[in-house]
Amino acid sequence: MGSDEKYWLGFDLGGTKMMATVFDAGFKILGTHRTKTKGHEGAKEVLDRITETIKEAIDDAHIKTQHLDGIGVGCPGPLDLDRGIILEAPNLGWKNVALKDTLEKTFGCATVIANDVDSGTYGEYRFGAGQKARCVVGVFPGTGIGGACIYEGKIFRGKTGSCMEIGHMRVQSGGRVCGCGQRGCLETVASRLAISAEAAAAAYRGEAPHLLEMAGTDLSSIKSGVLAKAVAADPVVERIVRNAAQHLGGAIASVVNLLAPDVVVLGGGLVEAMSDLFLNEVRKTVDNRAMKSFTKSLKVVAAQLGDNATVMGAAALAAEAGDGKR
Amino acid sequence: MGSDEKYWLGFDLGGTKMMATVFDAGFKILGTHRTKTKGHEGAKEVLDRITETIKEAIDDAHIKTQHLDGIGVGCPGPLDLDRGIILEAPNLGWKNVALKDTLEKTFGCATVIANDVDSGTYGEYRFGAGQKARCVVGVFPGTGIGGACIYEGKIFRGKTGSCMEIGHMRVQSGGRVCGCGQRGCLETVASRLAISAEAAAAAYRGEAPHLLEMAGTDLSSIKSGVLAKAVAADPVVERIVRNAAQHLGGAIASVVNLLAPDVVVLGGGLVEAMSDLFLNEVRKTVDNRAMKSFTKSLKVVAAQLGDNATVMGAAALAAEAGDGKR
C-alpha cells in the first residue's frame, strides 16, 4: 500500500449499536466492525468500546493506525461541532463528552463529528439516492423521525449545528404528547414507534391476531421486520401503516413547499422493511398536497446505502475537512 | 459625479403599485419614483409604465441613463431566473414576458430579476433587520403570505428558482379552501386577506360596529390601516388578529424547527400597522411551540425597511451579479 494513498474512517454511534468502517480514497470499503453500544454501562465503557471498534475496523482493513488520515463520527446530538463535543446523549448516558479530542489523541488523526442524520443524508447525497442533487431532504422514521437537508453540497445547518427537526413539525392541534414536551408533533403519529404503539393496541384489542402471535403487545418486540410481516397478515396493521405514511407525506409536502428539493430520500428500518407500501403512500400524498411547481420534477425515493449511509457520510465529511494531520 | 462611481437601480413590481429607486455604490438613495401598476390595462401598457418609472427615477437621481451599472427587479412569480422571464403573473395579465431582455435593450445595462419576497428579505438581510445573520427567514402576510430564506448570504432557492411558500404549509386538516387548490393552508387563516374576511363577517354580524362604520363589509376597503384602528375599537377584531398571529406563530415554529434561523423578520402592511400586537403574539407562540435549542437565541423582529426592502434588495442583487456591461 503506497504512502500516498489516503484512508478515512467513518463511525456510526447509535443508541443500540455502533459501527466503524475504513474507506480508501475512492470510498471503497476496506474493513468494518460493529458491536452493541450498551449505553447503560456508562460513558467510560462506551468510549472504550468506540476505541476498540475503530481498532477492529482498522485491523479488518489490513492497514495500520498511523495510515489513517481522518475520522468522521455520526452521533446523536445536541453537539458542539466546532469543539467536537457531544453535549448530551441520554441514550449513551453522556454529557459533555469531548469525542473529537479523545479520538484525535488515541488515533493521531483529525476527527470531525456530525449529527447522525446529517451524516446519513450526506452519505446518500455523495454515494446513494441523492447524488448530484442541488437540494436533498432526508427523512428517517425510527424511534423518532430524523431529518436533514443537503443544499448545494453542504449540510444545511441553520444558525449553527444541526436542524431539520421534521419529526417536531406540528401536524395535529391537540394531538398526542410528544417526547419534546409539545403535542401533535409528526413523530407522535408517523414514527416507527408510533406505528408500533398503534399496532400493539390493535393487537391487544384482538384486531391483529397475527401480530399478537408473532410479537405480543410489547413495543420492544414490534420492530420494523415484525410490522412488515403483520402488514401482510393483518389488514388493520396495513391501515395503520398507510395512515402514518399519509401523515408523513403531508408533513413532507409542507417541507417541499418550503425547500423545493430535487430529491426526498426516505430511509431507516421501517422504510427498508416495507418500502413499496410506505413510499407509494408518501409519494401519493406529497403529489396531492404539495404545490405543482415543486412536485413536477421531485423524486421521492428509498435510501440506497442502508446501514452504510452514516459511516460513508461521516468518512466523506472527514475527507472534506482536510487531509488529517499527517 | 466621477465616472468611477457606480449606480444601481432597484425595481419593485407589485400587483397594485410599482417603484424604481436609484442607489449609489454605498446604497444611499439618490432618486425614486412610484406609480400605480394598473395590470388590467394589459401587458404592453405595464411594460411601458415600468420603462417610464425607471426613467423618472433616473431623472430624480440627477444621473444619466448611461451611468446606470445594473438593474434589479423584484417581481411576482413564477420566474425563469436565468433567462430573466416572468413566466406568469395573473395580476399583471402577463405570460412569458422577457423582462430582462427588454430592460437591457432599453437601458443598456445588465438586469437581474428575482422573486419579490426574496428581494425584500434579501434587502432586510443586507440593510435592515437581518443584517449579519447566518440564516434569516422573512415572512410577509398580505393577500397571501410570502416567505423567503437568506442562508449564508444567499437566497435559498431549493432545486432552482424561488421557494419558501410558508403560506401553503397546511395548518388545518379539513380547513378552508385555498387559492392554491388545497385546503387548510396557513394563508387561509393568517394572511391579511383572511383576517379582513373574518373581520368583515364580524362587522356584518354587528359585533364590530366601529369597523362597520369605518369600512363596511367590503374586503377591498378593509386594509391594514383600517384593521389597526378596528383592533383598538372592536374587541372581536383584536381577538381575530391575535388568533391569526397565533396560527402564523405556530407555522413559524415548524419552520424554526426545520431551519434554525438566527432571525425571523416579519414585514408587510399588516405587521407595520400593528407591529406590537402582532409581533408579540407571534413571538409568544414561537417561544411556546418551537424547540428550546432553536428558540434560545432566536430573534423575531419587525422589518426595518418598509416599502424600500424590495428595491434595496433587488439593487443589491444587481450589484452582486456584476458591474453591468460598462
Side-chain angles (χ1 to χ4, degrees), chain A residues 254 258, chain B residues 139 141 144-146 165-172 176 178 180 183-192 194 243-252 255:
Chain A
S254 283
L258 290 173
Chain B
V139 180
I145 300 180
E165 291 282 359
I166 186 171
H168 299 288
M169 294 177 78
R170 178 174 292 201
V171 298
Q172 287 187 319
R176 286 186 197 164
C178 182
C180 74
R183 296 178 63 186
C185 291
L186 178 65
E187 65 182 47
T188 66
V189 292
S191 63
R192 197 259 305 137
N243 184 49
Q246 286 164 11
H247 273 297
L248 188 66
I252 291 174
V255 173

Side-chain angles (χ1 to χ4, degrees), chain A residues 134 151-152 154 156-159 162-165 168 170 182 254 257-260 288-289 294, chain B residues 134 151-152 154 156-159 162-165 168 170 182 254 257-260 288-289 294:
Chain A
R134 183 162 176 203
Y151 178 60
E152 296 189 332
K154 295 196 312 190
F156 187 94
R157 298 197 181 284
K159 181 187 166 114
S162 182
C163 51
M164 286 298 288
E165 291 283 357
H168 299 288
R170 177 173 291 200
Q182 298 289 336
S254 283
N257 284 350
L258 290 173
L259 304 185
N288 287 338
R289 295 266 190 91
F294 299 142
Chain B
R134 184 162 174 203
Y151 178 60
E152 295 189 332
K154 295 198 311 193
F156 186 94
R157 298 196 182 282
K159 182 187 166 116
S162 182
C163 49
M164 287 297 290
E165 291 282 359
H168 299 288
R170 178 174 292 201
Q182 298 289 336
S254 282
N257 285 349
L258 290 174
L259 304 184
N288 287 338
R289 295 267 189 91
F294 299 142

Side-chain angles (χ1 to χ4, degrees), chain A residues 219-234:
Chain A
L219 299 196
S220 63
S221 309
I222 307 178
K223 295 290 169 68
S224 302
V226 169
L227 281 171
K229 282 181 200 153
V231 160
D234 296 317

Side-chain angles (χ1 to χ4, degrees), chain A residues 3 10 78 82 93 120 138 149 193 200 204 276 303:
Chain A
S3 65
D82 291 335
C149 175
L193 183 58
Y204 185 89
D276 281 357

Side-chain angles (χ1 to χ4, degrees), chain A residues 45 54 75 140 166 189 201 220 231 260 272 288 290 303 312:
Chain A
E45 282 68 22
I54 292 176
C75 31
F140 297 82
I166 186 172
V189 293
S220 63
V231 160
E272 281 175 29
N288 287 338
M312 293 194 81

Side-chain angles (χ1 to χ4, degrees), chain A residues 33-53:
Chain A
H33 190 73
R34 67 169 75 198
T35 189
K36 294 224 164 114
T37 303
K38 296 184 189 164
H40 59 275
E41 291 185 2
K44 166 98 182 51
E45 282 68 22
V46 173
L47 215 45
D48 288 347
R49 208 167 293 121
I50 290 172
T51 304
E52 273 313 302
T53 303

